[in-house]
Amino acid sequence: MSIAVPSHHTRGSRGFSLRQSLRRVAEAAVTPLELGDVLDVFHPLRRGREGLQGRIVAVTAETAESATILIKPGRDWAGHVPGQYVRIGVDVDGVRLWRTYSLTHGPRADRCISITVKAIPGGVVSNHLVHAVRVGTMVQLEQAEGEFVLPQPLPHKLLLVTAGSGITPVIGMLRNLFSRRVPPDVDIVLVHVNQCADTAMFRDELRAHGAAGRITLIERYDDVHGVLDVSDLPTLVPDLDERLAYGCGPAGLLDALEAHHAARGLALTTERFRTVLVEPGDGGTVTFADGREIEADGATPILDAAETAGVLMPSGCRMGICMGCVIPLKQGAVRDLRNGAVTVAVPGETDPAGVPIQTCISAAAGACHIDEGARSR
């Protein structure tokens, strides 16, 4: 007597059919919602959900005005290259605001990621994250981006120049380098600038790296040494011309550093956190596609003004680089906060589809109408 044994294909087909049947029952039970909506409530970090999320699992003070936010990302998080940044959407007083922060963690067995935020005077999101956010809060995430990364293979000699929160992408680089079983064969000099020792993030960690001989740490404090003059770099770093250089910090430092290295014919990679803005002009009324209006001053990017008013806007790097915030200006005028240039859209004269503007670096220059629901390139 023979017994028929179901093939793997048959068993697999039955299993698939059973899963389909169970899913149909579940979907019927939650109608008019979709099954994914219910799963998102109970398992918001699951793989395949629409929109990547993360849960804040720890908030650790670094200084009186800075904190490291540890986040458990959803399972669709694709990882990062040290030095890259992540865009984070945070709900503050019922308004979702997006900001960009460098990733500061090294390899972690728990797959958590971290950002380190410095509270900026008047900064809604930065102050919320440093002083008010609670463990368990859900945030929106996008995948890591950015080109401020070390080359492979690593150079033999490396110079890192940072100031203030400009240390954040660099600490991520160092944590990854020094977590390796075999330390990298690279001679690293870090020139790190702060207003004073009390405001220096990761001060003890950097000093420990210096004491262990992993890096040569040159600390500069404005209240002790005065503001760093980049022309002093050859004195501080005698073999400057032999080192591949990276810089991250305020615009003034980076501008001076770029000019200095260009004059010496040296390569330099920089990361800017904020756009250099000109003096503000007159603001005006911004009218959106659905008829809503807001009053915006001449110093605030339309993107920020709109988000503060609760208007959902496309956005990206918020630095005028990625073009993720480009939408049509249908009528009126806006002013580029980087150079003061005014862009005008006149119905019947300019393109009927509107004139593309970057809302992250454009402020109202009088009354203007924009179509936040359309995307321009």
Side-chain angles (χ1 to χ4, degrees), residues 163 230 248-259 270-277:
V230 296
C248 187
L253 171 65
L254 296 186
D255 288 344
L257 197 58
E258 287 172 347
T270 61
E271 176 90 320
R272 294 176 181 267
F273 287 158
R274 295 190 213 165
T275 304
V276 182
L277 305 182

Side-chain angles (χ1 to χ4, degrees), residues 311-334:
V311 181
L312 184 62
M313 299 281 286
S315 65
C317 67
R318 312 182 81 94
M319 296 182 289
I321 298 173
C322 77
M323 309 300 285
C325 67
V326 176
I327 60 174
L329 172 68
K330 307 290 285 191
Q331 181 178 341
V334 299

Side-chain angles (χ1 to χ4, degrees), residues 334-351:
V334 299
R335 187 168 181 259
D336 191 318
L337 290 169
R338 299 169 299 182
N339 54 30
V342 175
T343 298
V344 179
V346 180
E349 295 184 13
T350 51
D351 190 329

Side-chain angles (χ1 to χ4, degrees), residues 206-220:
L206 293 174
R207 287 178 176 176
H209 285 317
R214 302 186 191 103
I215 65 174
T216 298
L217 176 63
I218 301 174
E219 297 178 81
R220 299 281 299 193

